[in-house]
Amino acid sequence: MPNIKIERLNHSIQEVISIIMLREVKDEDLKFVTITGVETTSDLSFSKVYYTVLDESKKELISEKLAKAAPFIRTELAKRVEVRHTPELKFIFDTSIEYGNHIESIIENLNKEKNSDK
């Protein structure tokens, strides 16, 4: 079971990064990124920041831009979240929404087939 303090920290990091992306980052492409979750290691050295994008065609471009913006975002995060050591940020594209949509379409197709057999 994850530590409650780390869960709280994950939530704070998610909120603060979302605000930084919206208000502080100058790149317009990054303003349409949604932070979906954060997982921080127990020693607080690394945080995996999960994100999605509205425009799937820009997924690779945004991945590169997030990697370049990570040091700036980490610096701003250090100013706003009080921890002894601000974790390194690794941005990871969140495929759970795509997976959920895929499962939903499979279920819809099965229901259509079931109804057409009647």
Side-chain angles (χ1 to χ4, degrees), residues 12-67:
S12 295
I13 289 173
Q14 181 178 350
E15 283 184 0
V16 172
I17 289 177
S18 295
I19 292 169
I20 291 169
M21 301 277 287
L22 185 64
R23 297 180 184 164
E24 307 293 325
V25 175
K26 291 182 173 67
D27 192 330
E28 289 299 315
D29 288 333
L30 296 181
K31 295 199 185 290
F32 297 103
V33 171
T34 303
I35 305 300
T36 58
V38 175
E39 289 180 7
T40 304
T41 58
S42 59
D43 65 353
L44 306 179
S45 60
F46 290 97
S47 286
K48 293 179 185 175
V49 181
Y50 294 94
Y51 70 93
T52 61
V53 293
L54 289 176
D55 187 359
E56 290 288 323
S57 65
K58 292 185 177 182
K59 188 164 71 170
E60 292 298 320
L61 175 68
I62 290 192
S63 176
E64 293 171 11
K65 288 184 176 188
L66 282 171

